[in-house]
Amino acid sequence: MSLSQDDVRRIARLARIAVSDDEVQESQSQLNQLFALIEEMRAVNTDGIEPMAHAQDVMLRLREDVATAPNRRDAFQAVAPSVENGLYLVPKVIE
Amino acid sequence: MNTLKQQIDALAAGQTTSVALVSECLKQIAAHNSQLNALITVDADKALAAAAAADAARAAGDTRPMLGVPLIHKDIFCHEGWKTSCGSKMLDNFIAPYSSQVAENCDAAGFVVVARANMDEFAMGSANENSYYGAVKNPWDQKAVPGGSSGGSAAAVAAGFAAVATGTDTGGSIRQPAAFCGITGIKPTYGIVSRFGMVAYASSLDQGGPMAHTAEDCALMLNVMAGFDERDSTSLEHAKEDYTRDLATPLAGLKIGLPREYFAEGLDTEVAAAIKAAVEQYKALGATIVDISLPNTKLAIPSYYVIAPAEASSNLSRFDGVRYGHRTGKTGNLDDMYEQTRAEGFGTEVKRRIMTGAYVLSHGYYDAYYIKAQKVRRLIANDFQAAFEQCDVIMGPVTPTTAWHIGEKNADPIAVYLEDIYTLGVNLAGLPGMSVPVGFASNGHPIGLQIIGNYFSEAKMLGVAHQYQQVTDWHSKSPAL
């Protein structure tokens, strides 16, 4: 398998990262090198092996459906790039 | 060298004060941090005020052992009021509005934070060259890297900026810098130390742990850091332990497994010799050696470099320029804002891992890469369980070589991934692993012995390391700064 420059642009788009032409070229070569390394793994026989998603095979805990965290909106919005009246501001999305 | 234990004892005996200890740290930092670049934030006023408050509390009868002891946090642990950059431009303006469980635990124990340590951006790296704040230098050789990603923490402890620092380990990020800087560090069993408020890289692998000069100090520090936390969904409901309980346990009858694969091609001869000498020392202490095999060792690299980037691409999607951190100054629509913000805020290595992750999780590739990597992960975990039927602990090198030179490997970032071969498997399996100083190469660079234990065997491992440190003095050597 080998990634084309169009593949790299598509991946960058999926990752929401703007890339220059130079970066596409460099990423293409490094991602291809990395996937060559990863390719070794794909030849391994894993028939009947359960995927291991987590280090400990324990169920995620459940808890009572009650509010536990205090409202700290002001503190959390103090670190936001742009807020107004308690709302986060983003570029206009509806023309 | 000044250990945490010595500081605790001196404070309890009234032989020193927190203000004296903190002042000594600040003096050392002022003298050497401009060369080493081990720290991102130093707040002398805040530290001295906290030290004075600790001394007043002690005078008023507060007997918490760590009260007033200086500490350095890796810049990945949110701590309310402290800048928490994670080594990234993305979070250069982020003052944490809340505290991680680890920071809360350390505060509750009475520690005084003197500084925040430099690190590879978002904990991605093995050399601490990927920080927005510049490369950290190894105190033993300032032309060499300190290892990563907890390179700032390791360099800071080695340089005497504090006796103890926090670190995190996703693929070796406590053990490898500890080895490169000649200190002791332990990555606990996954789930022992809360990840709440610890900036996430790869959540199924990330684990916090202590870095210090001695195994005894690591045990004391792990007692503070570990504990169930309901705010971390994968925190284990594991009873509180005293990790110092086995420090004095003799090693007679201990069975040490040496995995063939950890001594195969690619291991530097000087590193191999130092590890073998340490093993001989263990035999003299009464241990017996068992030849074992971890046949899927090599597959840890591809498995890790699929799973970790996949989890990273998901975790780091939160950096969108909306709720916190950097936002681009360029104008455009919402998508342009996301793409420019992330292009400007992330460094090259972080972008590469996010893109790798986005690809392996994308439609049509998920089974071929991500699920396959998780199956290989189980094979690796199974290898360790088979090995632990034959031995009590596993030993080997932490790294194939000692610290390399700054810039030496920049041309080939993928080749650096191969250096993680001995550390990645431990994270994939979720096992505890530690690094213990066992000597120096002819170039003066420290060498670390890796000790791997079965789940929840931290107390035993720390005892195994402590007994070695009772009869050797590698851990007490200090670099000439």
Side-chain angles (χ1 to χ4, degrees):
Chain A
M1 184 208 76
S2 190
L3 295 171
S4 67
Q5 297 205 354
D6 280 348
D7 290 332
V8 174
R9 285 198 181 84
R10 187 177 62 83
I11 297 166
R13 169 91 188 117
L14 284 174
R16 294 292 186 276
I17 296 173
V19 282
S20 67
D21 289 346
D22 283 353
E23 285 172 320
V24 168
Q25 204 160 10
E26 199 188 327
S27 299
Q28 182 192 16
S29 120
Q30 284 167 354
L31 289 175
N32 276 325
Q33 204 186 332
L34 175 57
F35 280 101
L37 186 73
I38 290 170
E39 209 61 28
E40 286 172 38
M41 174 191 82
R42 297 185 61 199
V44 178
N45 182 352
T46 52
D47 293 350
I49 303 291
E50 276 293 301
M52 180 173 170
H54 245 277
Q56 304 279 343
D57 286 321
V58 291
M59 295 292 285
L60 286 180
R61 288 187 308 279
L62 299 175
R63 64 168 175 83
E64 292 302 312
D65 185 17
V66 290
T68 52
N71 180 359
R72 298 192 57 217
R73 186 170 72 177
D74 291 345
F76 290 129
Q77 291 202 331
V79 293
S82 182
V83 290
E84 196 179 294
N85 299 327
L87 303 172
Y88 293 97
L89 299 188
V90 296
K92 198 168 162 184
V93 286
I94 301 167
E95 295 300 329
Chain B
M1 186 193 82
N2 207 348
T3 66
L4 171 62
K5 179 69 167 61
Q6 287 166 344
Q7 292 176 343
I8 289 170
D9 291 346
L11 283 166
Q15 292 158 347
T16 190
T17 62
S18 178
V19 169
L21 291 174
V22 167
S23 301
E24 185 55 38
C25 292
L26 292 171
K27 201 175 114 198
Q28 194 73 359
I29 290 168
H32 302 295
N33 190 52
S34 57
Q35 308 129 53
L36 297 177
N37 196 32
L39 306 173
I40 291 174
T41 303
V42 182
D43 194 332
D45 292 343
K46 195 167 174 169
L48 286 168
D55 285 334
R58 193 177 283 274
D62 191 331
T63 56
R64 283 175 292 165
M66 273 85 163
L67 179 64
V69 174
L71 171 69
I72 292 174
H73 276 305
K74 184 176 182 179
D75 210 25
I76 196 169
F77 290 103
C78 285
H79 200 177
E80 191 168 348
W82 289 85
K83 172 169 142 178
T84 302
S85 76
C86 220
S88 181
K89 180 182 178 185
M90 188 63 92
L91 289 174
D92 181 50
N93 62 3
F94 181 72
I95 308 297
Y98 73 107
S99 290
S100 56
Q101 178 70 24
V102 163
E104 280 184 2
N105 288 348
C106 294
D107 286 349
F111 278 105
V112 171
V113 176
V114 292
R116 311 256 317 165
N118 203 342
M119 56 181 285
D120 279 303
E121 183 179 5
F122 288 107
M124 300 181 194
S126 313
N128 221 126
E129 293 179 283
N130 297 335
S131 169
Y132 174 62
Y133 302 91
V136 177
K137 296 183 177 114
N138 191 316
W140 292 94
D141 172 1
Q142 296 189 22
K143 289 195 220 46
V145 301
S149 67
S150 309
S153 300
V157 170
F161 294 173
V164 62
T166 54
T168 61
D169 190 317
T170 304
S173 286
I174 287 176
R175 291 159 287 156
Q176 187 253 21
F180 278 12
C181 291
I183 66 162
T184 305
I186 183 164
K187 178 207 97 77
T189 302
Y190 180 87
I192 291 280
V193 171
S194 170
R195 293 181 298 104
F196 178 80
M198 188 176 105
V199 182
Y201 158 26
S203 301
S204 80
L205 305 165
D206 295 342
Q207 185 64 195
M211 304 175 79
H213 292 289
T214 66
E216 180 176 39
D217 284 2
C218 285
L220 290 165
M221 190 63 196
L222 190 55
N223 278 351
V224 173
M225 293 176 77
F228 171 66
D229 176 15
E230 64 181 13
R231 298 176 299 182
D232 169 358
S233 62
T234 58
S235 177
L236 294 173
E237 293 181 71
H238 183 74
K240 196 89 182 153
E241 288 188 45
D242 176 8
Y243 295 103
T244 66
R245 69 180 186 272
D246 281 336
L247 291 179
T249 306
L251 301 187
L254 179 79
K255 281 190 277 182
I256 298 172
L258 299 182
R260 263 165 261 159
E261 294 79 4
Y262 284 34
F263 296 88
E265 195 195 337
L267 179 61
D268 175 80
T269 52
E270 289 187 299
V271 174
I275 301 303
K276 284 185 179 136
V279 169
E280 287 304 313
Q281 185 71 61
Y282 272 105
K283 283 197 212 163
L285 288 166
T288 55
I289 306 303
V290 188
D291 173 45
I292 60 164
S293 176
L294 299 169
N296 293 298
T297 294
K298 272 190 175 169
L299 293 175
I301 296 170
S303 176
Y304 177 89
Y305 281 101
V306 168
I307 291 170
E311 295 184 11
S313 79
S314 170
N315 274 325
L316 274 64
S317 65
R318 62 173 57 106
F319 299 104
D320 56 5
V322 175
R323 290 154 299 164
Y324 37 73
H326 176 72
R327 176 189 282 198
T328 183
K330 293 184 184 165
T331 53
N333 64 26
L334 185 63
D335 267 340
D336 297 335
M337 192 277 281
Y338 291 149
E339 295 194 353
Q340 281 302 327
T341 292
R342 291 162 65 79
E344 293 166 13
F346 292 138
T348 311
E349 181 65 29
V350 172
K351 288 179 190 171
R352 181 159 50 241
R353 294 199 195 186
I354 291 174
M355 286 170 61
T356 304
Y359 180 66
V360 300
L361 292 176
S362 65
H363 182 69
Y365 298 97
Y366 184 82
D367 286 341
Y369 289 109
Y370 187 61
I371 297 298
K372 185 73 181 182
Q374 289 191 330
K375 290 180 178 174
V376 171
R377 179 179 187 176
R378 188 171 301 278
L379 293 179
I380 291 163
N382 289 347
D383 282 355
F384 280 108
Q385 288 314 304
F388 283 123
E389 285 177 11
Q390 303 170 65
C391 59
D392 302 311
V393 293
I394 293 171
M395 287 189 188
V398 177
T399 54
T401 67
T402 59
W404 55 85
H405 282 129
I406 294 171
E408 185 184 332
K409 305 206 178 198
N410 288 1
D412 196 353
I414 308 303
V416 179
Y417 295 175
L418 303 177
E419 304 287 334
D420 300 334
I421 180 151
Y422 306 134
T423 50
L424 298 176
V426 165
N427 299 80
L428 290 167
L431 294 166
M434 67 183 297
S435 178
V436 180
V438 293
F440 294 86
S442 52
N443 60 7
H445 294 184
I447 296 168
L449 169 77
Q450 185 169 211
I451 303 175
I452 302 169
N454 212 340
Y455 302 111
F456 309 114
S457 68
E458 288 83 359
K460 178 195 281 174
M461 294 160 62
L462 288 159
V464 167
H466 178 73
Q467 288 300 308
Y468 175 85
Q469 290 181 337
Q470 297 307 102
V471 294
T472 59
D473 64 355
W474 303 114
H475 60 283
S476 60
K477 308 269 187 209
S478 296
L481 289 171

PDB file of all heavy atoms in Angstrom, chain B residues 352-363:
ATOM      1  N   ARG B 352       1.441  14.536  12.578  1.00  0.00           N
ATOM      2  CA  ARG B 352       1.657  13.239  11.929  1.00  0.00           C
ATOM      3  C   ARG B 352       0.849  12.144  12.639  1.00  0.00           C
ATOM      4  O   ARG B 352       0.225  11.297  12.015  1.00  0.00           O
ATOM      5  CB  ARG B 352       3.148  12.909  11.927  1.00  0.00           C
ATOM      6  CG  ARG B 352       3.474  11.599  11.251  1.00  0.00           C
ATOM      7  CD  ARG B 352       4.930  11.519  10.805  1.00  0.00           C
ATOM      8  NE  ARG B 352       5.850  11.878  11.861  1.00  0.00           N
ATOM      9  CZ  ARG B 352       6.706  12.900  11.793  1.00  0.00           C
ATOM     10  NH1 ARG B 352       6.783  13.647  10.723  1.00  0.00           N
ATOM     11  NH2 ARG B 352       7.497  13.158  12.810  1.00  0.00           N
ATOM     12  N   ARG B 353       0.857  12.177  13.975  1.00  0.00           N
ATOM     13  CA  ARG B 353       0.139  11.122  14.701  1.00  0.00           C
ATOM     14  C   ARG B 353      -1.375  11.290  14.566  1.00  0.00           C
ATOM     15  O   ARG B 353      -2.101  10.303  14.451  1.00  0.00           O
ATOM     16  CB  ARG B 353       0.575  11.088  16.176  1.00  0.00           C
ATOM     17  CG  ARG B 353       2.032  10.674  16.289  1.00  0.00           C
ATOM     18  CD  ARG B 353       2.432  10.176  17.651  1.00  0.00           C
ATOM     19  NE  ARG B 353       3.900  10.155  17.756  1.00  0.00           N
ATOM     20  CZ  ARG B 353       4.577   9.664  18.773  1.00  0.00           C
ATOM     21  NH1 ARG B 353       3.957   9.133  19.794  1.00  0.00           N
ATOM     22  NH2 ARG B 353       5.890   9.686  18.792  1.00  0.00           N
ATOM     23  N   ILE B 354      -1.852  12.523  14.570  1.00  0.00           N
ATOM     24  CA  ILE B 354      -3.295  12.725  14.393  1.00  0.00           C
ATOM     25  C   ILE B 354      -3.715  12.225  13.007  1.00  0.00           C
ATOM     26  O   ILE B 354      -4.739  11.531  12.857  1.00  0.00           O
ATOM     27  CB  ILE B 354      -3.672  14.215  14.551  1.00  0.00           C
ATOM     28  CG1 ILE B 354      -3.485  14.660  16.000  1.00  0.00           C
ATOM     29  CG2 ILE B 354      -5.113  14.469  14.105  1.00  0.00           C
ATOM     30  CD1 ILE B 354      -3.701  16.164  16.223  1.00  0.00           C
ATOM     31  N   MET B 355      -2.923  12.549  12.005  1.00  0.00           N
ATOM     32  CA  MET B 355      -3.276  12.124  10.642  1.00  0.00           C
ATOM     33  C   MET B 355      -3.206  10.607  10.503  1.00  0.00           C
ATOM     34  O   MET B 355      -4.068   9.994   9.871  1.00  0.00           O
ATOM     35  CB  MET B 355      -2.377  12.824   9.619  1.00  0.00           C
ATOM     36  CG  MET B 355      -2.769  14.298   9.451  1.00  0.00           C
ATOM     37  SD  MET B 355      -1.614  15.292   8.483  1.00  0.00           S
ATOM     38  CE  MET B 355      -1.660  14.466   6.911  1.00  0.00           C
ATOM     39  N   THR B 356      -2.200   9.996  11.118  1.00  0.00           N
ATOM     40  CA  THR B 356      -2.115   8.530  11.109  1.00  0.00           C
ATOM     41  C   THR B 356      -3.372   7.937  11.731  1.00  0.00           C
ATOM     42  O   THR B 356      -3.976   7.003  11.191  1.00  0.00           O
ATOM     43  CB  THR B 356      -0.877   8.061  11.911  1.00  0.00           C
ATOM     44  OG1 THR B 356       0.278   8.673  11.359  1.00  0.00           O
ATOM     45  CG2 THR B 356      -0.733   6.558  11.884  1.00  0.00           C
ATOM     46  N   GLY B 357      -3.772   8.495  12.852  1.00  0.00           N
ATOM     47  CA  GLY B 357      -4.953   7.998  13.546  1.00  0.00           C
ATOM     48  C   GLY B 357      -6.223   8.205  12.749  1.00  0.00           C
ATOM     49  O   GLY B 357      -7.084   7.310  12.675  1.00  0.00           O
ATOM     50  N   ALA B 358      -6.343   9.375  12.140  1.00  0.00           N
ATOM     51  CA  ALA B 358      -7.545   9.651  11.338  1.00  0.00           C
ATOM     52  C   ALA B 358      -7.647   8.639  10.197  1.00  0.00           C
ATOM     53  O   ALA B 358      -8.736   8.162   9.858  1.00  0.00           O
ATOM     54  CB  ALA B 358      -7.480  11.077  10.781  1.00  0.00           C
ATOM     55  N   TYR B 359      -6.494   8.275   9.640  1.00  0.00           N
ATOM     56  CA  TYR B 359      -6.493   7.327   8.534  1.00  0.00           C
ATOM     57  C   TYR B 359      -6.865   5.916   8.990  1.00  0.00           C
ATOM     58  O   TYR B 359      -7.745   5.276   8.396  1.00  0.00           O
ATOM     59  CB  TYR B 359      -5.117   7.313   7.860  1.00  0.00           C
ATOM     60  CG  TYR B 359      -5.038   6.362   6.698  1.00  0.00           C
ATOM     61  CD1 TYR B 359      -5.782   6.583   5.545  1.00  0.00           C
ATOM     62  CD2 TYR B 359      -4.228   5.226   6.757  1.00  0.00           C
ATOM     63  CE1 TYR B 359      -5.722   5.705   4.471  1.00  0.00           C
ATOM     64  CE2 TYR B 359      -4.166   4.347   5.695  1.00  0.00           C
ATOM     65  CZ  TYR B 359      -4.914   4.584   4.560  1.00  0.00           C
ATOM     66  OH  TYR B 359      -4.860   3.707   3.516  1.00  0.00           O
ATOM     67  N   VAL B 360      -6.239   5.433  10.060  1.00  0.00           N
ATOM     68  CA  VAL B 360      -6.512   4.047  10.473  1.00  0.00           C
ATOM     69  C   VAL B 360      -7.931   3.876  11.008  1.00  0.00           C
ATOM     70  O   VAL B 360      -8.439   2.754  11.049  1.00  0.00           O
ATOM     71  CB  VAL B 360      -5.494   3.495  11.501  1.00  0.00           C
ATOM     72  CG1 VAL B 360      -4.089   3.504  10.934  1.00  0.00           C
ATOM     73  CG2 VAL B 360      -5.531   4.248  12.816  1.00  0.00           C
ATOM     74  N   LEU B 361      -8.558   4.966  11.388  1.00  0.00           N
ATOM     75  CA  LEU B 361      -9.946   4.866  11.856  1.00  0.00           C
ATOM     76  C   LEU B 361     -10.951   5.141  10.736  1.00  0.00           C
ATOM     77  O   LEU B 361     -12.155   5.035  10.953  1.00  0.00           O
ATOM     78  CB  LEU B 361     -10.196   5.867  13.000  1.00  0.00           C
ATOM     79  CG  LEU B 361      -9.462   5.597  14.319  1.00  0.00           C
ATOM     80  CD1 LEU B 361      -9.735   6.725  15.316  1.00  0.00           C
ATOM     81  CD2 LEU B 361      -9.875   4.261  14.923  1.00  0.00           C
ATOM     82  N   SER B 362     -10.461   5.498   9.555  1.00  0.00           N
ATOM     83  CA  SER B 362     -11.394   5.924   8.510  1.00  0.00           C
ATOM     84  C   SER B 362     -12.068   4.723   7.850  1.00  0.00           C
ATOM     85  O   SER B 362     -11.605   3.589   7.958  1.00  0.00           O
ATOM     86  CB  SER B 362     -10.683   6.797   7.471  1.00  0.00           C
ATOM     87  OG  SER B 362      -9.716   6.047   6.774  1.00  0.00           O
ATOM     88  N   HIS B 363     -13.161   5.022   7.184  1.00  0.00           N
ATOM     89  CA  HIS B 363     -13.995   3.987   6.592  1.00  0.00           C
ATOM     90  C   HIS B 363     -13.185   3.089   5.651  1.00  0.00           C
ATOM     91  O   HIS B 363     -12.472   3.570   4.794  1.00  0.00           O
ATOM     92  CB  HIS B 363     -15.138   4.647   5.813  1.00  0.00           C
ATOM     93  CG  HIS B 363     -16.064   3.654   5.202  1.00  0.00           C
ATOM     94  ND1 HIS B 363     -16.896   2.857   5.966  1.00  0.00           N
ATOM     95  CD2 HIS B 363     -16.266   3.302   3.917  1.00  0.00           C
ATOM     96  CE1 HIS B 363     -17.579   2.063   5.161  1.00  0.00           C
ATOM     97  NE2 HIS B 363     -17.220   2.315   3.927  1.00  0.00           N
TER      98      HIS B 363
END
